Amino acid sequence: MANSVEKSCTMLVYNDKQASATEIKEALEGNDPLAKQAAMKKAVSLLLAGEQLPQLFITIVRYVLPSEDHTVQKLLLLYLEAIEKTDSTGKLLPEMILICQNLRNNLQHPNEYIRGVTLRFLCRIKEEEILEPLVPSILANLEHRHSYVRRNAVLAINSIYKLPKGELLLADAPETIERLLRQEQDLSTRRNCLAMLTNHATDRAIRYLLDSADQLGTWGDLLQLSALDLIRKACRSSPADKGKFIKTILVLLQSPSPAVMYECAVTLTSLSSAPSAVRAAANCFCSLLVSHSDNNVKLIVLDRLQELKEKHREVMTDMVMDTLRALASPSLDIRKKTLDISLELITARNIDEVISVLKKEVVKTQNKEYDKAGEYRQMLVQAIHSCAVKFPEVAGNVVHVLMDFLGDSNTASALDVIFFVREIMETNARLRPSVLERLHTVFYQIRSSRVVSCALWIMGEYCASTPEILAALATLKESLGPVPFLVEGAEGEEAAAGGSAGGAPGGSSSAGPAAVGSKRPAVLADGTYATQVAVAELPSAASAPATGAGSGPNLRTLLLAGDFFLGGVVAGTQVKLLLRLAGLKEVPAAQLNARFAEAMQYVVAALRLGESAGATPTPMDADSRDRMMLCLRVLAGQDSWSNSVWLEDCRRAFSSLTSEKQREISARTAREEARAAVQPDDLIDFQVLKNRKGLSQLEVEDEVTSDLARATGYTEAAAAASSRLNRVLQLTGLSDPVYAEAVVTVHQYDIVLDVTVTNRTSETMQALCLELATMGDLKLVERPQNYTLAPGDTKLIRANIKVSSTETGVIFGNIVYEGTGYAERSVVVLNDIHIDIMDYISPAFCPDVQFRNMWAEFEWENKVAVATTFSDVAPFLQHIVATTNMKCLTPPSALEGECGYLAANLYAKSVFGEDALVNVSVEKTLPAAGGEAGRLVGYIRIRSKTQGIALSLGDKITLMQKVPVPTTTAAA
């Protein structure tokens, strides 16, 4: 079996019930057609399973060939397809001659079904000895009255003409098929004829296509798709002639068939880079995007638009409004991809229209029945934020609409809105008064602690005039409610009693909120006992909103729930407002002192609430207490040295962060839009000097863009060749009888292994086979075939491997061959090929908010301890970024300085759409007593949605962080 080559298989049949040859033979010899059908099915299944049934052949010739049952005849053809027709030397078996007469009779049968299935059977026959006597009958079927027979006859002629001796068996087949094509009316038959001419007589097919150019619009979709296949093949063989086919493609673009439209657009973009052609293809894709209801089709079309955007951004900017029409789809994936494409096509000319569309979509999400309104609104807010960063002048059109959603129950969406407002306040000074006024109006609706904290920071930093500061203080006072939050002694009892009376069923205040108190004993400074009560306003059933959030003052509710970090934010906001109010000197001293005293009263009330055991669900943390105490000292005038920090440094830090973020976005955009430079010795092309005789405007544009592509494509080709040389891996030694080296190419879900094998001996190697096996999430698609290598000969063997996840894998194997004079096979073991995770991931960018959300969501974490020879934190981070092929999201300004401690976030995305998150936290220890330099300690934490990428990236970091650092010696 060493020399045997695997047979080709044209069908697979599952068989779970085995039958003996005797049972099949008895059933075939009977007269029951149903029993014969069952027996033939069993015989075919056994043959496909590898069984040899030579004793059945004569029985089938005697009892099955004469049968008139159509199903039995169909099964007979499947049996003849499955049996071995040649001997070990490749010669036709003598008994096969017996079936030739039966096949000829079938081709002349009065029933068109028998003729058709026999012609389909002949498409899978490769033996010329069987086909040669049947050629006249096959040609005669081209004139049959039924189209089913004619189109199968064309298929049979096509397959016979492809055989090595096909041109001898059918010498004038192209002429015959062309003649049939010009007079045929059946669509499927014409399609098969055109496909046959495309494969074997391209010049005749092109001539027919050009002659029928006026009738292309009336062709059926099958024939139009076949015409597109012809155009693609013709342009591959002779690119210079593609100009005459572009008009034909533009005609086919008007086809009512979505499949034809899509294929036309893809063909047009692959053949031409002319702006007119790209615009026509983009229009076609956009119409499919709107007219087709299948989400899978829309996603595929969006991928094509993404490709067009990357190559022809200038043309696609005119199509942004057509692309945005896909937002009508209910699928979030389609909406997200549509927004991603559209945001990169925004220019000063279309920004107003895009913002108008996004604004209308945001308003639509207010509908309660809108599917996944919160997630969609979040995407829209992020899109508007991105637009406002690029074009600040449009922020005023949308910021007031978006601020209505600050009280949204979807915290992520509300956070995006408040972050957008914060950035607008910094970058657009003329909008500050109106935005602050709107913020005071909607502040009471905010129920999320993080959103409230950011809103308070905005008020504390950007309220500059006396009316704005007083309005902000009034808003704070109303949101905090009356003080104290914690009442002692008899006042507490009265408050509790009053609260009970207010909440009584018969009370007149049943529509308002009820105040409840929890009593507990407390020890006073003099050792006596007193009663303390935590007063909280609870919503009544009538006034409670549908969201379930409390209807009392929002800041008071959050403080009584134990959010003391928010208490520190409130205290800091009051400090900033009052210090700025004091600096303006527009308020009388008595009134100003009263404001300071009132603020101190709120801070003390929050501190007493936090220090009372059991008053809140969670105790006050030390950081929040220290912050509130600091604010209290500042309000009391004891820490006046820190006033500049409150009034200037906080704002300056955020301003530098915003400006650095904008610089990074601009630099990233410039890198993405960078084009390859033209070589200095390239020809200069003048479009106005082109010879326009007999050419349309589209053909002239295509010729110019083709010349430009040839002029600028050399550097890309050279870079690709250089990259390929860097991926060469040696698989065997130079002293082995077979030298092998491989080039590994990773392309998304496919790994292509190009193995070059050289016979280094003086003998011929027979049945040489490359045997491969995989470990990990890799799968070998097909087994390479056997080859014969002459002495010194070289063969390129290609193997395809499928990969389904981002995980490190190993490919191992050997080369097996037979030499002349050897009884046993020789084996050469190959070096293992490690598929690195770096081939799958690439640096990517994501906002900080998205990074934190994914960090909290992902469940797989790999914690790697830092163990390296690096002595400084900054070079160590650069080394990790370079070796893991990730992007550092932490801005460079945050990494500056020498403090001996570093924390940074890294991010990358795999070709499968997986996210890889890395947090690097390292610290440099103090020098040892003996003068030895301090070492780096800390952890690198990796998080991902899947286990494979977390483990593989952790192994990579563990291996690479131990690389020794090159040292330089000082000159003596």
Side-chain angles (χ1 to χ4, degrees):
M1 296 294 292
N3 289 324
S4 63
V5 180
E6 294 183 359
K7 298 186 297 181
S8 61
C9 181
T10 56
M11 60 176 170
L12 291 174
V13 177
Y14 174 70
N15 179 33
D16 56 345
K17 296 180 181 179
Q18 297 293 332
S20 64
T22 306
E23 296 176 358
I24 297 174
K25 184 176 181 180
E26 291 176 356
L28 292 177
E29 291 176 349
N31 295 325
D32 186 4
L34 296 178
K36 285 188 177 183
Q37 293 175 15
M40 288 298 296
K41 290 179 181 179
K42 294 177 181 178
V44 172
S45 300
L46 289 175
L47 285 173
L48 294 176
E51 297 288 338
Q52 300 295 327
L53 304 173
Q55 66 274 23
L56 285 182
F57 185 79
I58 298 301
T59 303
I60 289 175
V61 170
R62 290 180 59 191
Y63 296 99
V64 177
L65 255 63
S67 175
E68 294 295 331
D69 187 82
H70 289 176
T71 305
V72 173
Q73 288 294 322
K74 174 68 174 178
L75 292 169
L76 171 62
L77 296 176
L78 295 178
Y79 169 81
L80 296 177
E81 183 181 334
I83 63 173
E84 191 68 41
K85 304 175 189 62
T86 58
D87 56 16
S88 57
T89 61
K91 294 183 178 180
L92 189 69
L93 295 174
E95 54 266 28
M96 290 295 110
I97 303 300
L98 297 174
I99 69 170
C100 287
Q101 183 61 38
N102 178 72
L103 294 176
R104 185 185 294 109
N105 294 337
N106 284 352
L107 292 175
Q108 299 171 357
H109 199 278
N111 184 275
E112 59 272 6
Y113 174 75
I114 297 296
R115 291 195 183 203
V117 296
T118 306
L119 289 167
R120 291 298 294 266
F121 161 73
L122 294 178
C123 294
R124 295 183 286 272
I125 298 298
K126 308 299 180 187
E127 288 76 21
E128 288 89 351
E129 293 87 347
I130 298 177
L131 295 172
E132 186 175 4
L134 303 177
V135 168
S137 300
I138 295 173
L139 293 174
N141 280 298
L142 291 176
E143 301 175 359
H144 194 271
R145 59 178 177 82
H146 205 286
S147 60
Y148 175 71
V149 177
R150 295 197 300 272
R151 63 170 176 260
N152 283 305
V154 175
L155 289 178
I157 292 174
N158 184 26
S159 62
I160 294 173
Y161 201 77
K162 285 191 294 187
L163 297 176
K165 298 182 180 179
E167 296 186 9
L168 298 177
L169 295 176
L170 294 165
D172 55 350
E175 294 87 344
T176 305
I177 296 299
E178 183 183 6
R179 192 165 50 251
L180 175 65
L181 176 60
R182 292 184 179 276
Q183 64 186 18
E184 180 60 48
Q185 300 299 321
D186 180 65
L187 180 62
S188 297
T189 307
R190 295 172 67 191
R191 182 259 172 201
N192 292 346
C193 290
L194 188 57
M196 189 271 176
L197 293 179
T198 301
N199 294 330
H200 306 295
T202 309
D203 54 343
R204 293 178 179 272
I206 293 174
R207 186 167 62 245
Y208 172 75
L209 179 64
L210 296 178
D211 293 344
S212 307
D214 298 337
Q215 305 172 4
L216 284 176
T218 61
W219 289 5
D221 53 352
L222 290 177
L223 194 56
Q224 290 176 340
L225 290 172
S226 184
L228 287 172
D229 291 336
L230 168 63
I231 291 173
R232 284 193 287 264
K233 182 177 181 180
C235 292
R236 280 196 299 267
S237 58
S238 57
D241 297 336
K242 66 180 181 179
K244 60 185 179 183
F245 294 112
I246 293 180
K247 291 181 182 178
T248 304
I249 298 176
L250 293 177
V251 172
L252 293 176
L253 270 177
Q254 310 304 320
S255 172
S257 170
V260 176
M261 292 173 61
Y262 175 80
E263 290 295 333
C264 279
V266 172
T267 305
L268 192 58
T269 54
S270 64
L271 295 183
S272 175
S273 299
S276 302
V278 175
R279 192 173 294 107
N283 278 320
C284 179
F285 285 138
C286 290
S287 63
L288 286 174
L289 201 58
V290 177
S291 61
H292 216 283
S293 59
D294 191 348
N295 287 343
N296 294 320
V297 174
K298 291 186 177 182
L299 288 172
I300 293 172
V301 171
L302 286 171
D303 287 337
R304 296 292 173 265
L305 288 173
Q306 176 81 15
E307 295 173 1
L308 285 181
K309 179 205 50 119
E310 294 173 357
K311 296 179 181 178
H312 312 282
R313 188 178 183 277
E314 296 80 5
V315 179
M316 287 297 295
T317 53
D318 298 333
M319 309 299 302
V320 63
M321 297 306 297
D322 294 320
T323 306
L324 284 174
R325 293 165 67 189
L327 292 177
S329 171
S331 171
L332 284 180
D333 292 333
I334 294 174
R335 289 169 171 170
K336 185 176 186 307
K337 188 168 286 191
T338 302
L339 289 173
D340 291 342
I341 295 172
S342 302
L343 290 179
E344 297 183 20
L345 299 175
I346 295 175
T347 62
R349 291 182 300 167
N350 57 28
I351 181 63
D352 293 332
E353 296 177 339
V354 172
I355 287 294
S356 176
V357 171
L358 297 180
K359 190 175 175 181
K360 291 178 181 177
E361 291 294 321
V362 169
V363 174
K364 287 180 183 177
T365 59
Q366 291 179 320
N367 189 351
K368 301 274 187 187
E369 300 177 357
Y370 211 80
D371 188 26
K372 297 181 180 179
E375 299 174 32
Y376 183 38
R377 188 184 308 124
Q378 184 180 358
M379 287 193 298
L380 291 171
V381 171
Q382 292 172 354
I384 294 173
H385 190 175
S386 177
C387 295
V389 170
K390 294 180 181 178
F391 303 94
E393 63 274 7
V394 303
N397 299 334
V398 291
V399 64
H400 297 293
V401 176
L402 293 182
M403 291 180 71
D404 290 335
F405 300 101
L406 285 176
D408 192 358
S409 58
N410 186 350
T411 304
S413 175
L415 268 176
D416 287 330
V417 173
I418 199 65
F419 289 161
F420 170 63
V421 172
R422 183 179 64 181
E423 190 163 341
I424 292 303
M425 293 291 284
E426 174 61 32
T427 58
N428 203 327
R430 65 181 180 85
L431 291 177
R432 288 174 188 170
S434 60
V435 172
L436 283 173
E437 183 180 353
R438 184 65 178 164
L439 184 60
H440 295 325
T441 305
V442 302
F443 187 81
Y444 314 108
Q445 304 173 10
I446 306 175
R447 295 289 170 178
S448 170
S449 174
R450 295 177 64 188
V451 180
V452 167
S453 300
C454 191
L456 290 172
W457 187 91
I458 292 173
M459 287 194 293
E461 290 294 341
Y462 297 103
C463 288
S465 64
T466 300
E468 290 174 352
I469 295 174
L470 294 178
L473 290 173
T475 302
L476 282 176
K477 183 177 180 179
E478 191 168 349
S479 298
L480 287 168
V483 290
F485 304 123
L486 188 65
V487 186
E488 295 185 2
E491 293 179 6
E493 294 178 1
E494 292 175 4
S500 300
S508 61
S509 59
S510 59
V516 299
S518 58
K519 296 183 179 181
R520 63 188 61 79
V523 181
L524 301 180
D526 58 356
T528 61
Y529 286 92
T531 303
Q532 64 181 7
V533 181
V535 181
E537 292 184 355
L538 299 179
S540 65
S543 63
T547 58
S551 62
N554 52 350
L555 293 182
R556 187 185 189 92
T557 304
L558 291 170
L559 282 174
L560 292 174
D563 191 350
F564 291 103
F565 176 80
L566 180 61
V569 176
V570 172
T573 303
Q574 289 178 322
V575 168
K576 292 178 184 178
L577 292 172
L578 291 173
L579 288 178
R580 194 167 285 117
L581 183 63
L584 292 174
K585 298 180 181 180
E586 298 177 1
V587 177
Q591 186 178 352
L592 183 63
N593 291 336
R595 297 279 182 184
F596 270 90
E598 188 179 34
M600 294 172 66
Q601 190 179 11
Y602 277 113
V603 176
V604 171
L607 284 170
R608 292 188 62 185
L609 178 65
E611 291 175 354
S612 301
T616 55
T618 56
M620 182 169 60
D621 57 289
D623 288 341
S624 299
R625 184 183 182 279
D626 292 343
R627 181 175 177 82
M628 284 190 276
M629 289 298 295
L630 173 62
C631 294
L632 193 61
R633 287 195 298 270
V634 173
L635 290 171
Q638 299 177 2
D639 281 341
S640 59
W641 58 270
S642 63
N643 289 358
S644 62
V645 177
W646 293 103
L647 298 178
E648 299 174 7
D649 292 353
C650 296
R651 172 88 165 273
R652 188 184 303 117
F654 179 69
S655 178
S656 62
L657 178 66
T658 304
S659 58
E660 184 172 4
K661 179 180 176 182
Q662 290 178 344
R663 285 196 302 270
E664 184 180 354
I665 292 174
S666 301
R668 187 168 67 248
T669 305
R671 286 194 300 269
E672 292 174 354
E673 294 179 354
R675 301 294 180 87
V678 179
Q679 297 301 318
D681 57 344
D682 283 342
L683 294 176
I684 300 176
D685 185 83
F686 296 95
Q687 183 174 352
V688 295
L689 301 181
K690 283 282 184 183
N691 182 12
R692 297 170 177 262
K693 186 176 180 180
L695 298 179
S696 65
Q697 179 65 25
L698 180 58
E699 290 172 324
V700 173
E701 289 181 8
D702 180 67
E703 191 174 344
V704 172
T705 53
S706 300
D707 293 342
L708 186 61
R710 285 196 296 271
T712 58
Y714 299 139
T715 54
E716 298 175 5
S722 175
S723 174
R724 182 178 176 85
L725 289 176
N726 293 333
R727 298 194 304 270
V728 175
L729 302 174
Q730 184 176 341
L731 301 181
T732 62
L734 297 175
S735 60
D736 288 325
V738 178
Y739 176 76
E741 63 184 20
V743 177
V744 182
T745 304
V746 178
H747 181 68
Q748 293 190 354
Y749 295 89
D750 298 317
I751 297 177
V752 180
L753 208 63
D754 292 322
V755 183
T756 303
V757 180
T758 304
N759 181 4
R760 298 176 58 85
T761 66
S762 57
E763 298 179 349
T764 301
M765 295 181 177
Q766 298 178 352
L768 183 142
C769 181
L770 175 66
E771 297 180 349
L772 297 175
T774 59
M775 183 173 66
D777 206 355
L778 305 175
K779 182 180 180 181
L780 191 65
V781 176
E782 57 185 356
R783 179 172 176 265
Q785 61 182 355
N786 294 355
Y787 299 96
T788 299
L789 279 185
D793 197 4
T794 300
K795 187 70 178 177
L796 179 65
I797 303 175
R798 173 165 292 183
N800 294 316
I801 297 169
K802 286 287 183 182
V803 58
S804 57
S805 69
T806 310
E807 192 172 335
T808 301
V810 181
I811 303 172
F812 53 92
N814 48 52
I815 294 177
V816 184
Y817 66 92
E818 290 181 357
T820 57
Y822 295 99
E824 298 181 355
R825 308 196 76 186
S826 300
V827 178
V828 177
V829 180
L830 305 178
N831 292 332
D832 295 345
I833 301 174
H834 293 267
I835 303 301
D836 197 356
I837 188 177
M838 296 300 104
D839 295 328
Y840 300 133
I841 67 174
S842 58
F845 174 80
C846 73
D848 292 339
V849 176
Q850 184 181 350
F851 185 93
R852 294 191 185 97
N853 292 338
M854 289 190 293
W855 186 269
E857 176 187 351
F858 290 170
E859 55 184 3
W860 288 103
E861 177 175 316
N862 190 4
K863 191 174 182 181
V864 179
V866 174
T868 180
T869 54
F870 282 88
S871 57
D872 292 323
V873 292
F876 176 71
L877 176 64
Q878 295 173 1
H879 177 71
I880 293 297
V881 170
T883 54
T884 57
N885 197 25
M886 304 187 77
K887 179 175 178 60
C888 182
L889 299 181
T890 306
S893 60
L895 303 175
E896 294 176 353
E898 295 291 338
C899 64
Y901 175 78
L902 183 144
N905 294 330
L906 312 181
Y907 178 68
K909 204 171 185 67
S910 74
V911 296
F912 310 106
E914 300 168 320
D915 301 290
L917 313 178
V918 174
N919 174 260
V920 181
S921 299
V922 291
E923 181 183 7
K924 186 176 181 179
T925 59
L926 295 175
E932 185 178 347
R935 63 187 185 90
L936 298 185
V937 296
Y939 292 96
I940 301 174
R941 299 166 67 192
I942 307 149
R943 286 196 182 183
S944 65
K945 189 174 289 186
T946 57
Q947 182 184 18
I949 191 170
L951 296 178
S952 301
L953 201 54
D955 295 341
K956 180 74 174 179
I957 292 175
T958 303
L959 179 66
M960 298 306 295
Q961 69 169 333
K962 297 181 180 179
V963 174
V965 183
T967 58
T968 58
T969 56

